[in-house]
Amino acid sequence: ATPADALVIAQNIDDIVALDPAQAYEFSAGEINANLYDHLVQYAAEDTTVLAPGLASEWTADEAAKTITFTMREGATFASGNPVRAEDVLFSFKRVVTLNLTPSFILTQLGWSADNIDEMVTIDGNTVTIKWDGDFASAFVLNVLASRPASIVDEVLVSEHVEGDDWGNAWLNTNSAGSGPFVLTDYRPAELVRMTANENYFDGAPAMKQVLIRHVAEAATQQLLLTSGDVDMAKNLTPDQIASLGDGVKVEAFPQAAVHFLSFNQKTESLTDPALWEAARYLVNYDGMTESFLKGQMEKHQAFWPKGFPGSYDETPYYYDVEKAKQILADAGVETPITVTLDVINSAPFTDMAQSLQAGFAEAGINFDILPGTGAQVITKYRDRTHEAMLLYWGPDFMDPHSNAKAFAYNSDNSDDNYTATTTWRNAWAVPEEMNEEVRAALAESDQATRNEMYVELQKKVQAESPIVIMFQAQLQIAMGENVDGYVNGSNSDFVYYRLVTKD
Amino acid sequence: MNAIDLKNLDIAYGDTKVVFDVNLSIPEGESFALVGESGSGKSTILRAIAGLAPDWTGDISVMGGARSHHVDRNVSRKVQMVFQDPYGSLHPRKTIDAALSEPLAIHGLGNRGERVEAMLTAVGLDQRFRFRFPHQLSGGQRQRVAIARALMLEPKVMLLDEPTSALDVSVQAEILNLLKRLRREQGLTFLLVTHNLPVVSFLCDRLAVMRHGRIVEVADVAQLKSADLKEPYSRELLAATEGG
Amino acid sequence: MTAPLLSVQNLRVSFPTHTGRVEVVKGLSFTLGRERLGIVGESGSGKSMTGRSILKLIRKPGEVTADKLEFDGIDILSQSEKQMRAIRGARISMVMQDPKFSLNPVMTVGEQIAEALVTHQKLPRRDVQARIIEMLHAVRINDPERVAKLYPHEVSGGMGQRIMIAMMLIPEPELLIADEPTSALDVSVQAQVLDIIDELVRNKGMGLILISHDLNLVSRYCDRILVMNAGQVVEECAAGQLENAQHPYTKGLLAAMPVINETRDELPVLDRTQWAGT
Amino acid sequence: MDQQGASPEPAPGYAGRGLVRGFSTASGFVLTLFLTFLGLLAITFFIGRVIPIDPVLAVVGDRATQEQYDVAKIAMGLDQPLWMQFISYVGNVFTGDLGMSVSTGRPVIEDLSRFFPATFEMATLGILIGCALGIPLGVTAAARQGSWLDQVIRVVGLLGYSVPAFWLGLVGLALFYARLRWVGGPGRLDIFYDGLVEPVTGMILIDSLIRGEIDIFWNAVSHIILPAAVLGFFSLAYIARMTRSFMLDQLSQEFVTTARVKGVPERVVIWRHAFNPIRVPLITVIGLSYAGLLEGSVMIETVFSWPGIGNYLTTALLNADMNAVLGATLVIGAVFIVINKISDVLYRVLDPRAR
Amino acid sequence: MMSNRDWLLADSPTSRLQANVGRAYRVFTALMRNPLSVLGGVIILVLLLTAAFAPWIAPYSAVGQDLGNRLMPPSAAHWMGTDELGRDIFSRVVWGSQITLTIVLLVALISAPLGLLIGAIAGYFGGWVDRFLMGFTDIFLSLPKLILALAFVAALGPGINNAIIAIAITSWPAYARIARAETLTIRNAEYIQAVQLAGGGPVRLIVQHILPLCTSSMIIRVTLDMAGVILTAAGLGFLGLGAQPPLPEWGAMISRGRTFILDQWWVATMPGFAIIIVSLGFCFLGDGLRDVLDPKSEGKN
Ligand SMILES: Nc1ncnc2c1ncn2[C@@H]1O[C@H](COP(=O)(O)OP(=O)(O)OP(=O)(O)O)[C@@H](O)[C@H]1O
Ligand SMILES: Nc1ncnc2c1ncn2[C@@H]1O[C@H](COP(=O)(O)OP(=O)(O)OP(=O)(O)O)[C@@H](O)[C@H]1O
Ligand SMILES: [Mg+2]
Ligand SMILES: [Mg+2]
């Protein structure tokens, strides 16, 4: 049994490399960060779909001047007791762009850099003015400011722990200096994360005095721990385990923003025919999978922006139809059989998905050789564009449709030396120039409704004609003790909140 | 020409010297015995001549040619050795046929089948032993095979290291007869190690008595027969043999 | 001669082989008083097996049967392992054929001898020590205090055999079986060792079975001789009568030995086909 | 014929003295250690080179820009030629600096001081269980060769050879933890005991005793016992079978018969005469299997959520976290060498022939 | 006319062939006398037959999916139930026997000869050659085994063949040490010296004289290690680096089935049983061979 005022979680956290918001980019690190830090504006625990005031109590945007001015919240303090000041905001952003670690691109796309940050972010008393450079809508900028690297850290506290010119990075990787509802008190990689409640949280202290996340890699072990009552929550159970859970345990489902797709590298000659792209869309056994081993874990979704968010396109016009696919291939004169390799991450459910795809595609003479590999291995290959077919997923960096439009519908330079971390470039798909234009236009559009409309159009195009077959949208199923209430898991790992959890 | 010449021979195993200043000349066709205390270095001398105890100083020559410190192919046609233990000197997984053909194969000699057959006959073994494994043979039979193997390359000199001490008297007699006959027929030179003086008396012309790594006395067999040995140790050996 | 110490009738030892069970001792019979009996025969004739079966040391899958195998009125074959333990060492002991393999390599010589003693007799430690030294001394080992602390690999073959003898004599058995006690020794040491046994046998009045293939040796140290061939006794005679042996096998063995004053050009050999054998 | 004859096992006292042979002095040992380490490092380095995983990606992730990627690559020294990287790594190692792990973001030395004791604790208990049961079982089987007891022991032992570890671990957890509640669950401690004892040795069993926390000690015992027993079962299987095989060799030796001739009780024959001489090869066997356990078992560690070195090393390797891989390999190599050295020394102590 | 048996057991064979076949026959009959090794032999035989006749034995395809029929418990239609993609586990186990057999054979054929050769060379030459080779062996031995295998799999790319090579590469050092220890005991034997005296060179000595003697203990050791080999392959499967899906490799099957172990026990347990039985088979056979091939026992009688 677990203590009444502590939430104990079994979770696979071995993906964590760094906890400093300027460096953290893995899922588990994101979840933890979300509970340690606040942003100027954020998707709050109470409703993760609405952008709410965070450390800024109010703001005004000036689209023409490309600025937003934030007024800092009165009386907010960091967990350390230090007041939250405008200076902290500048410090936080400056850290990120100066350190220039992975997540910094989210901020730097606003035109910020270590050199100009003092001009782009200016403070005046308790207001902060943010400037950006580029054709972006302010809605987009706000979303950027709600993202993980825009977390506000405690300048005073961090400054005490600076080593050399690391801006406190080493210290922040094992400690926290935020204003969030929890404070990081213990982190042992691949073992445990312990957070304790921040009694001074501006939005009220959390009910749980402690959140303990125990690293449990093995799903079966998580299940045993949960059913034995030694943890309150198990995060990585498979649908089949979920289905067979007995009494005393409940399951909550949370739709996620990540989309799963099959993509074809255009450097592979046999995969460049648009007819093949189209046929592929009829060879995926969408329902077979979501009704069986993906049940509850993934939902059929065929556009790049996830369902449930402004700008999403929810039609699923494609279905499993081998005959139709064969017809398409035959009409276009595509020679079969085609044999290509299919890279996939070597864990469930990806290998199962790959095998299901293999079986379906084989019907139409497209044979996959499945090459399972570790995440790092698959990514290495993907980055080098040496794969043929790839089964992977994509989660938006921040909750704005541009994040995905850029990944799925934009590729301004397909050359080998212009590495870009997008699905398009990595599959060597030279996006038609007009589509690139449309992406840029949508980004600049300030009218929210029009903007969403433009993204829907883009999605339709990508859905109909691209070497990327988007198949599913992820959903998290989290099993927890019946007495656990108030767990919030938004559409991605940045929106996992323990603040409202109660146990009775 | 002397079959074997040893001059100022010192032999060591690693850091310990076990044979000191040995000088011997054995004329061709002679049968010479080395007798003496256990551990006195008798086997070591034989091994040095054969090239199996490479750590020596002095001179060794065989059939007029100086010996190198190692085994080499040329010398194997001149000198061969028969070991004490008939159980340890045959490869347990090879038939007699294989053991006897091998020296021929190494030296690229033809007609192997016939030579093996002839040699089996020469050492008094029936042809039905030819495809047996060593464990199917008695000790005496194995020793015959070992002798046959040594003779395959038609050497002039045979080094015999206690060839009969592991055998009982009846088998010993057979082997001794065989050796005597072979020597007569093929004009071989024997250098025989033993601690059995009657064997020396039966098979040899001269003997050297060793103790503590040195030769203490060289004598004719006639002296042995007439109990005319000089050194006290030699006499002690003789006395023990003749018994109480 | 007193009542027989050991009487053996129709002793058979057999082992299974590819071609069925093979008897290696085939119906051996003899009796032994408090005297010295020699068993001779060529290698493999079953001498050691006879010795071992008296101590019931033949292990599966070997099998021992006998019409009678009695030691001092005790039927050996019907004794349990536990009962045998009381007999072994204390009343009958056996000098094993090869000291190199018959001594425990990781126990000191002294410990091994002490074990033979204290297994059958509870003695204060000091007395045990004294007896060991005394015994080693008796088998003519110089500096017994030092030797007692040595390990078997540190003693020479000759010492090993003498230690083996000391170990088997220390519990003062009534019957000693000595299996080739000197095979590993050169001639001068050989004589010394046998003299020691002989002396002890005479002084303590125990029975001795001396196993060897050397007829001269046996005739020199025994009262009576059994000549074995292929598991059977071919001849039994008094030691002094060996020269007059009747059986051609015995004669053959005798003749096959070279002598110092050798004049023969060829040694006579046994015609084995005469005795259906190995 | 020597004592161990042609038994299929390494000759006694061989104990991995590949390089040690010929050097018996301390300086020789140091040289051996040095060369072995160098070899280990070189091979591990080579492995790191051929693995098709980009170590930079492990640091910067898959969304980083080319610029960030390049910066990180230079920061990691990966732009240098391989031999330079190797030399500077070796140089650092000899000043005690194993570098930073990119997968935990901490100094490798700190990671190792946390993961290795966890494995050490479990492996030690495992090997103790393995010896405590395996040796008597092996001896008994040999003493009663061919009996039903012998067959049962052999089959049980062989099962230990053949059962997949993670299967046994999971079934063990499901039964003894979830169903029967006889033992603690996965992890080294119940979560609310976690972090209460300040690490001294890093081994909770020992630390809790040092700190006088008896409750925590018993809690740790209840957690470690099952994984240690699973490991123990595997080493038991190996130890029992080797013991049996060595014992059979000994029991057919003449000196065992000599002991029987003396009328020594069977128990003494078996333990004093037959068992004592096999202690040496047995120690080699135990040493090897202990070294094997100290490598950590990814499978057991995963199933039992044990923060051990096996998992650490595997994760590091799969992320091309070469500093961590090299560091852990060094530790494991050092353990291997030390264990071999110990079995060498024990060999000298226990076998008079080797003195 | 001699009966076959007489021919085989003839005391005086008339040809090399008869001598060698006769020896093999003796080993075989001795093996047959030990019930456990007979059992082992039968298991291996069944494995061989299953592998050879898999297409006829397996009632279903090994890869045919039926998502509607997934995770069915054992029944008359599916003797061992079905897995997470609705494939018949029995059929997969049957087909998997081919892979298991390949693994076992290839590892035995790669690592044992490699280890044998290295060990024999080190032992025969001694000195610096020995020091160098054994130092090298020790380095490999002190590298964590799974890591080494993983590294090789990662380097060579996934797939069962690469996994096999990786396992082979990690297992030779143990054999090298055994072979070396044995070579040391043989090296100074008089029958080796006799060949040296006849002028035989190192190659001939090692290949024709030393290796054949080390082989029997190697065969014994290899059969005993087979369980370990199968399990190492399973361990690679556990990490997702063993056989490529959808190959029915037993280790990969267990490893995939482990998430179901609490509720659908058969998914992991059935291939687990297969592994246990085959491993036992090899162990029993190896144990039997140990008694029969032991050169000590053969030299006598
Ligand atoms: N390989 C070796 N290494 C070191 N010392 C050895 C070796 N072989 C023999 N010796 C030593 O060399 C000395 C002479 O040994 P050698 O074998 O020549 O004696 P031997 O006269 O033949 O004795 P024996 O009659 O017992 O055969 C002995 O002291 C022996 O211990
Ligand atoms: N375990 C066994 N299995 C089969 N045959 C055996 C076994 N032990 C001994 N023999 C055989 O029994 C016969 C008699 O052996 P024993 O040891 O009694 O001979 P021995 O007369 O003592 O010979 P040696 O003089 O060589 O010691 C031999 O032919 C031997 O091969
Ligand atoms: Mg000698
Ligand atoms: Mg005998």
Side-chain angles (χ1 to χ4, degrees), chain A residues 1-3 8 14 16-17 25 100-105 174 187-192 194 212 214-218 220-221 224-225 228-230 374 376-377 379-380 383 394-397 419 421 426, chain D residues 52-54 57-69 102-106 111 114-115 170 173-174 177-178 181 185-192 194-195 302-305 307 315 318-319:
Chain A
T2 56
V8 183
D14 65 7
I16 299 180
V17 169
Y25 65 84
N100 195 20
L101 297 166
T102 310
S104 71
F105 77 91
T174 46
Y187 165 54
R188 281 175 267 152
E191 196 176 346
L192 165 136
R194 186 195 300 268
L212 281 155
R214 172 169 239 181
H215 172 61
V216 181
E218 185 64 31
T221 309
L224 282 174
L225 278 165
S228 305
D230 284 343
T374 64
Q377 227 174 340
I379 296 294
T380 302
R383 191 181 191 282
W394 174 274
D397 297 311
Y419 168 76
R426 294 202 271 203
Chain D
I53 299 177
D54 188 342
L57 282 183
V59 179
V60 300
D62 73 317
R63 304 273 165 103
T65 61
Q66 185 67 41
E67 181 208 348
Q68 288 170 334
Y69 178 92
V102 296
S103 50
T104 63
R106 297 181 180 216
D111 283 342
R114 215 157 48 77
F115 288 106
L170 276 174
L173 267 184
Y177 161 65
R181 299 227 137 242
R188 296 176 77 183
L189 279 177
D190 279 356
I191 195 101
F192 35 92
D194 205 289
T302 305
V303 165
F304 287 95
S305 294
T315 314
L318 297 182
N319 285 308

Side-chain angles (χ1 to χ4, degrees), chain B residues 42-43 84 161-162 193:
Chain B
K42 308 181 294 288
S43 304
Q84 171 179 10
D161 190 357
E162 311 204 28
V193 169

Side-chain angles (χ1 to χ4, degrees), chain C:
Chain C
M1 216 203 272
T2 48
L5 188 58
L6 179 72
S7 63
V8 178
Q9 251 174 48
N10 195 21
L11 175 72
R12 289 171 185 278
V13 181
S14 64
F15 287 98
T17 66
H18 286 291
T19 43
R21 278 196 102 75
V22 166
E23 286 201 335
V24 298
V25 176
K26 304 168 185 160
L28 190 79
S29 306
F30 68 91
T31 56
L32 174 79
R34 300 190 181 267
E35 57 175 337
R36 304 176 301 173
L37 175 72
I39 300 184
V40 291
E42 60 185 323
S43 183
S45 55
K47 306 182 296 290
S48 299
M49 289 303 140
T50 307
R52 283 170 182 246
S53 42
I54 293 168
L55 275 166
K56 225 180 152 184
L57 284 173
I58 297 193
R59 296 206 295 151
K60 279 188 289 184
E63 214 170 74
V64 183
T65 58
D67 292 351
K68 186 172 172 192
L69 182 57
E70 250 181 38
F71 169 73
D72 197 17
I74 304 167
D75 178 14
I76 296 281
L77 289 182
S78 66
Q79 297 290 293
S80 69
E81 249 323 275
K82 194 168 175 206
Q83 290 166 315
M84 275 316 290
R85 253 180 252 139
I87 295 173
R88 287 187 197 138
R91 305 198 62 192
I92 313 177
S93 73
M94 177 163 170
V95 174
M96 308 294 284
Q97 189 160 2
D98 193 339
K100 204 161 125 208
F101 297 120
S102 303
L103 292 175
N104 187 328
V106 299
M107 282 169 78
T108 62
V109 164
E111 282 166 3
Q112 296 191 54
I113 300 177
E115 189 180 44
L117 184 60
V118 299
T119 301
H120 300 286
Q121 237 175 313
K122 291 283 157 272
L123 281 178
R125 186 178 297 168
R126 185 169 308 158
D127 293 2
V128 172
Q129 209 50 36
R131 286 280 302 276
I132 291 170
I133 304 299
E134 184 192 332
M135 200 65 222
L136 285 174
H137 203 76
V139 293
R140 310 278 148 77
I141 281 182
N142 302 325
D143 198 358
E145 281 87 356
R146 187 182 66 89
V147 172
K149 293 197 190 84
L150 296 181
Y151 286 93
H153 71 279
E154 294 167 320
V155 302
S156 73
M159 278 159 92
Q161 295 231 297
R162 281 176 279 178
I163 288 161
M164 192 74 198
I165 291 165
M167 186 158 80
M168 291 311 168
L169 287 177
I170 204 168
E172 302 187 340
E174 290 153 64
L175 172 61
L176 177 71
I177 304 168
D179 190 357
E180 310 256 17
T182 59
S183 59
L185 307 181
D186 63 75
V187 272
S188 53
V189 186
Q190 194 169 40
Q192 284 177 13
V193 170
L194 285 171
D195 287 340
I196 298 160
I197 296 188
D198 196 47
E199 192 185 310
L200 289 167
V201 170
R202 284 176 205 274
N203 294 349
K204 302 221 162 108
M206 63 182 180
L208 171 71
I209 298 179
L210 177 63
I211 297 175
S212 174
H213 61 74
D214 187 337
L215 287 127
N216 283 336
L217 187 102
V218 171
S219 65
R220 210 179 303 152
Y221 289 97
C222 293
D223 305 319
R224 222 152 41 90
I225 295 175
L226 288 180
V227 182
M228 276 183 80
N229 178 36
Q232 282 167 316
V233 176
V234 295
E235 178 149 17
E236 186 174 352
C237 65
Q241 299 309 112
L242 194 60
E243 278 96 281
N244 309 330
Q246 294 304 307
H247 197 275
Y249 178 74
T250 320
K251 284 184 177 171
L253 282 184
L254 278 169
M257 281 196 299
V259 290
I260 288 240
N261 238 329
E262 191 58 76
T263 50
R264 289 173 288 183
D265 212 22
E266 188 167 329
L267 299 169
V269 297
L270 286 170
D271 179 5
R272 263 166 238 285
T273 49
Q274 228 173 301
W275 309 276
T278 42

